[in-house]
């Protein structure tokens, strides 16, 4: 039987859980509860909740930094990818940033309510003030203090 790792977007897109074994990091349930999803109590006994090991999280962060995806992924997104890395499970997600990094890392994924990504993208970040380019998303430009915007690498 296949192991499925579900993110919040997948759970928002479905009414009933798949018949396969379903695994979620604790952050996914926190997101659903924070947004008042009424299906969570019905799913609590059916979803296995597990958080990834720190070393798996670090591997995902390294790959995300190299591709420029780190600034586009939340901690929960990273934990989903880390669980897939650890378990060999298939990710169910409509999040394009998760799908992008999963493709780069060779992790299997499937979209649920939307079409999957069509190609893998890499990202750079540009300061909205001075226009300088950076490989990683920073909270503010170290030169002028302005915010940053993601741009696809060409």
């Amino acid at each position: 039987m296949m192991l499925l790792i579900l993110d919040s977007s997948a759970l928002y897109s479905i009414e009933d859980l798949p018949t396969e074994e379903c695994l979620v990091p604790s952050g996914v349930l926190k997101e659903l509860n924070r947004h008042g999803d009424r299906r969570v109590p019905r799913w609590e006994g059916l979803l296995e909740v597990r958080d990834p090991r720190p070393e798996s999280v670090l591997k995902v962060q390294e790959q995300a930094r190299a591709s420029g995806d780190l600034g586009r992924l939340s901690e929960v997104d990273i934990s989903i990818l880390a669980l897939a890395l650890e378990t060999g499970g298939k990710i169910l997600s409509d999040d394009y940033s998760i799908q992008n990094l999963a493709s780069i890392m060779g992790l299997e994924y499937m979209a649920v309510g939307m079409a999957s990504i069509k190609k893998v993208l890499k990202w750079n970040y540009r300061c909205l003030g001075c226009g300088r380019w950076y490989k990683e998303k920073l909270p503010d430009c170290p030169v002028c203090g302005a915010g940053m915007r993601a741009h696809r690498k060409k």
Side-chain angles (χ1 to χ4, degrees), residues 50-62:
R50 185 187 321 165
D51 288 314
R53 295 185 308 263
E55 57 269 20
S56 299
V57 170
L58 285 174
K59 285 180 185 176
V60 171
Q61 289 171 332
E62 288 169 8

Side-chain angles (χ1 to χ4, degrees), residues 2-144:
M2 166 109 18
L3 173 63
L4 301 176
I5 300 164
L6 289 79
D7 80 345
S8 301
S9 68
L11 289 168
Y12 284 130
S13 296
I14 61 176
E15 269 305 310
D16 296 313
L17 291 176
T19 56
E20 292 87 356
E21 183 180 353
C22 296
L23 181 64
V24 296
S26 60
V28 166
L29 289 182
K30 288 176 186 170
E31 286 179 351
L32 294 174
N33 282 322
R34 186 172 55 245
H35 291 93
D37 194 316
R38 296 179 189 167
R39 297 169 299 168
V40 173
R42 181 176 51 155
W43 288 340
E44 280 181 347
L46 303 171
L47 291 171
E48 181 183 343
V49 179
R50 185 187 321 165
D51 288 314
R53 295 185 308 263
E55 57 269 20
S56 299
V57 170
L58 285 174
K59 285 180 185 176
V60 171
Q61 289 171 332
E62 288 169 8
Q63 290 288 318
R65 187 172 291 109
S67 70
D69 282 303
L70 189 59
R72 304 176 61 79
L73 294 166
S74 71
E75 286 183 37
V76 176
D77 296 341
I78 290 169
S79 68
I80 289 161
L81 289 155
L83 276 175
L85 183 64
E86 283 180 16
T87 64
K90 183 177 189 174
I91 299 170
L92 268 58
S93 175
D94 287 332
D95 184 307
Y96 289 159
S97 294
I98 289 176
Q99 292 177 14
N100 194 62
L101 192 56
S103 291
I104 291 168
M105 295 180 68
L107 301 173
E108 194 176 357
Y109 68 88
M110 182 176 83
V112 180
M114 299 171 48
S116 295
I117 60 171
K118 297 197 182 337
K119 67 179 187 173
V120 172
L121 300 174
K122 297 210 176 186
W123 300 93
N124 280 326
Y125 297 87
R126 189 169 192 190
C127 172
L128 296 172
C130 66
R132 283 186 167 79
W133 288 92
Y134 297 92
K135 291 184 179 186
E136 291 183 39
K137 184 176 182 185
L138 304 170
D140 298 308
C141 176
V143 174
C144 73

